[in-house]
Amino acid sequence: MTPHHNPSPGLRWSLLDDSLIRWRCAAHGDLQRSSLPELLAAMAADRVRDFPALRPHQRHPWHAFLAQLGAIALHRAGQTQPWTEAPPWRAALLELTPNDADGAAWCLVAPPGRPALLQAAVPGERVTDWKNVLHAADELDMLVTSKNHDLKSARARRSEPDDWLFALLSLQTQEGFLGAGNYGISRMNGGFASRPGVGVAPAEGGWGARWAADLQTLLTQRATIAEQQELMAEGGHALLWLLPWSGTESLPMQTLDPLYIEVCRRVRLDDAGGVLLARKTVSEVTRVAGKERNGRTGDPWTPVEKIEGKALTVQAEGFTYKRMTELLTGGNYQHGAAWRLDGWPRDAALQVLAQVTVRGQGKTEGYHERRIPISPKLRRSLLGPQRVAVAEIARQRIDAISEIRKLLWHALGILFANGDGADRSDSTNDKATRFAQPFEQGEDSRFFDDWTQEAEADDADRPALRLRWLLGLEERAERVLTQSFNAGPRNGMQRYKARAAALTRLRSLRGPRSKLPDLAAHYARSHPGDTDRTQHHA
């Protein structure tokens, strides 16, 4: 795409004036191209369905950028509601960069001595001497693409400006440590952690509905964030690319705006005959001096562990049902501002949205996203005195799944050991673990639907719902076991012995020594013969 020719020399691809951002209309799916002010106006009207150039792992950085930027601009302009027309957005964004009235700080390309979008100025340096030159937008992106783990790198050779924009944003606002001179952001717990995006959003509407909700939250909570995190309620650095950076000095946290948008790497985009490319170099220090905070920066989408005082770091398994239950019902986390269950219309259907790109030491461990519907009734329970009760329901269900999964694992081990449960090899146990995985994965996928059904029920109806769920849980575990029979012994005698012993072990949960008393009591009442046989064989 040909860049807009800015009247100031050396400025190319202006997000204030050029139609660089591709998005699809919510009403008909038509492809649109707009400037950043035009996009913000469309978001305010909830006209945006999605962004075709946006990769999954870039979703949260883009949402966070638009929400933080919108809230910063509205606050500085003294406004409480987003504009639905582009001109006031353009004027407000330009007001954020008073030293760059020609819009250089909103261009993808500007002279090295001046700021460009998400790129700090490097006065006095010859950027053309920087050795690391990137010709594809996905090479610039964070580790998830640059090291060929989840997506192959350097594929986007015909990158459009918004490809570069999203890659640059991903790098600057969610990257971590990648060797000496390549430091990460302040909004995560250490260089090998990740920046999560966890919040509550409307279940209906497009990108704009969530953006508008978070925008209002950020506007109302910015003073609280500033006080809690000892940031500057007024006059702090908000857009950190506006400050020159030689790579030798860090910004104190106390000088920052509560909604600050950071940059963590020294990178500059350049115009190579109408085609964009990027140049990178190292820094001696992090851009923000916040290591001792362990990711506690007031990020609206980052939960903080209360005991250890560290930002949530999601592991390779992602947002499991256990982790999401902790976030929903537990008191172990201090949620960010975007986690808001109150203040919505009474009948509003909401969802918990959790997103993260899990980083490891020199590797990536996948992009994870999970959405959990929150009905109005469940929301009222979580906000009121019923919260303890519904949290206990979840805890008991997690314990039940864990117990049956453990019995299933033992049963599978017996199966693969030809019916001998006394002495099993490591390889047999590993095989049992592998074959037991579908059970817990299945329970993970249905956990919150099942839990919500019981949590929303009247007290009198809950025991019957719990028993029905336990019986289904047992049935699903037994199905996993019987589907594994073909992987067990094939010899006739051993086959029957192994299968019978494995089933007996699993069905011990029906006996009097079961750790699931409700299930055992049910079988004692309705199938006394099964209970007697289980007790005999256990």
Side-chain angles (χ1 to χ4, degrees):
M1 176 181 293
T2 302
H4 173 86
H5 291 285
N6 196 291
S8 297
L11 304 187
R12 296 289 186 273
W13 290 285
S14 167
L15 263 74
L16 288 182
D17 301 306
D18 297 342
S19 299
L20 303 180
I21 305 170
R22 289 170 287 174
W23 54 277
R24 283 187 286 231
C25 180
H28 306 293
D30 300 338
L31 182 65
Q32 309 287 321
R33 292 178 182 267
S34 73
S35 64
L36 183 56
E38 291 167 342
L39 172 64
L40 292 171
M43 294 278 282
D46 198 16
R47 294 174 48 215
V48 179
R49 187 179 81 182
D50 59 16
F51 300 87
L54 193 70
R55 295 184 171 194
H57 70 281
Q58 298 167 341
R59 289 172 188 159
H60 176 62
W62 183 231
H63 168 77
F65 173 78
L66 292 175
Q68 290 167 268
L69 181 62
I72 292 168
L74 289 173
H75 175 75
R76 296 282 177 92
Q79 298 292 314
T80 59
Q81 296 296 325
W83 298 287
T84 55
E85 301 293 334
W89 276 115
R90 186 186 186 283
L93 293 179
L94 204 54
E95 279 293 315
L96 297 180
T97 61
N99 294 329
D100 299 282
D102 57 359
W106 301 102
C107 292
L108 292 180
V109 173
R114 304 192 63 193
L117 183 68
L118 295 164
Q119 306 158 66
V122 287
E125 295 189 50
R126 288 174 54 91
V127 174
T128 53
D129 291 340
W130 293 0
K131 303 300 183 184
N132 198 349
V133 181
L134 310 174
H135 296 276
D138 54 341
E139 287 184 287
L140 179 64
D141 205 334
M142 66 172 297
L143 184 62
V144 68
T145 55
S146 65
K147 291 298 179 183
N148 285 343
H149 290 287
D150 287 355
L151 301 171
K152 296 300 181 185
S153 67
R155 292 175 58 120
R157 290 290 180 177
R158 294 189 175 182
S159 305
E160 293 204 31
D162 57 351
D163 293 313
W164 286 100
L165 168 64
F166 297 144
L168 180 64
L169 182 67
S170 178
L171 174 78
Q172 296 286 43
T173 65
Q174 69 170 352
E175 182 61 292
F177 178 75
L178 193 60
N182 295 292
Y183 297 102
I185 64 171
S186 61
R187 295 190 185 274
M188 65 169 61
N189 177 26
F192 301 119
S194 51
R195 182 190 182 189
V198 179
V200 176
E204 299 176 352
W207 271 74
R210 181 190 175 204
W211 172 80
D214 280 354
L215 190 68
Q216 291 302 319
T217 299
L218 268 54
L219 284 170
T220 57
Q221 293 297 314
R222 59 169 287 120
T224 301
I225 296 171
E227 180 180 0
Q228 291 175 345
Q229 303 300 326
E230 298 180 345
L231 304 174
M232 293 187 67
E234 302 294 339
H237 301 307
L239 311 180
L240 301 196
W241 67 88
L242 300 183
L243 303 171
W245 187 30
S246 64
T248 59
E249 68 286 338
S250 299
L251 292 170
M253 288 288 299
Q254 293 78 6
T255 66
L256 305 184
D257 184 275
L259 303 179
Y260 71 95
I261 303 173
E262 66 185 312
V263 293
C264 66
R265 297 289 175 83
R266 301 212 309 144
V267 57
R268 299 291 302 198
L269 301 187
D270 201 358
D271 178 6
V275 177
L276 279 163
L277 58 79
R279 292 185 172 90
K280 294 197 303 180
T281 192
V282 296
S283 63
E284 296 180 16
V285 294
T286 59
R287 187 62 181 115
V288 175
K291 182 179 180 180
E292 73 287 348
R293 294 198 175 213
N294 298 317
R296 291 178 288 107
T297 65
D299 184 11
W301 300 274
T302 298
V304 174
E305 296 179 14
K306 291 182 179 178
I307 296 177
E308 296 188 3
K310 297 179 179 180
L312 169 67
T313 297
V314 181
Q315 303 302 319
E317 63 269 19
F319 292 106
T320 65
Y321 69 103
K322 295 177 184 178
R323 174 56 56 81
M324 293 306 297
T325 298
E326 289 179 355
L327 292 172
L328 264 171
T329 67
N332 297 331
Y333 289 97
Q334 178 67 48
H335 284 289
W339 184 280
R340 180 171 63 87
L341 288 170
D342 57 354
W344 301 88
R346 181 177 175 82
D347 59 348
L350 304 178
Q351 61 179 336
V352 170
L353 176 58
Q355 301 164 300
V356 71
T357 300
V358 178
R359 300 182 66 259
Q361 191 164 347
K363 61 181 179 179
T364 181
E365 293 180 327
Y367 172 74
H368 303 272
E369 179 172 318
R370 187 156 193 172
R371 297 169 186 262
I372 299 174
I374 304 294
S375 68
K377 187 171 184 179
L378 179 59
R379 174 162 53 94
R380 289 192 291 272
S381 296
L382 290 171
L383 285 171
Q386 282 290 310
R387 188 189 70 80
V388 175
V390 298
E392 179 63 15
I393 291 170
R395 186 193 65 78
Q396 291 175 358
R397 284 174 172 254
I398 290 173
D399 289 346
I401 293 171
S402 176
E403 178 63 21
I404 292 184
R405 194 263 180 208
K406 182 169 66 176
L407 283 172
L408 173 62
W409 181 82
H410 282 299
L412 287 165
I414 290 171
L415 173 70
F416 299 139
N418 299 330
D420 183 3
D423 186 18
R424 302 204 301 261
S425 66
D426 290 343
S427 62
T428 297
N429 289 335
D430 291 343
K431 189 175 182 180
T433 298
R434 188 168 68 254
F435 275 77
Q437 282 178 347
F439 170 72
E440 192 161 21
Q441 289 170 347
E443 295 312 310
D444 188 309
S445 66
R446 61 179 295 156
F447 182 87
F448 290 100
D449 289 339
D450 292 345
W451 169 66
T452 299
Q453 187 178 14
E454 183 177 350
E456 292 184 341
D458 296 332
D459 291 344
D461 296 330
R462 283 176 176 171
L465 283 171
R466 170 65 61 84
L467 179 60
R468 189 186 313 157
W469 174 75
L470 285 170
L471 291 169
L473 193 64
E474 179 198 14
E475 179 184 343
R476 292 188 291 274
E478 189 163 315
R479 188 182 307 131
V480 170
L481 177 60
T482 56
Q483 288 173 347
S484 303
F485 278 172
N486 287 337
R490 298 300 180 90
N491 175 277
M493 231 9 199
Q494 287 184 336
R495 181 171 70 244
Y496 295 126
K497 174 189 173 184
R499 293 181 180 182
L503 278 171
T504 298
R505 185 69 179 94
L506 180 61
R507 289 174 180 173
S508 66
L509 56 85
R510 303 177 180 181
R513 287 182 288 179
S514 172
K515 293 184 179 180
L516 300 173
D518 292 346
L519 197 60
H522 166 76
Y523 279 106
R525 291 191 305 269
S526 57
H527 300 84
D530 285 354
T531 303
D532 292 341
R533 286 193 294 274
T534 298
Q535 184 177 7
H536 175 74
H537 288 292

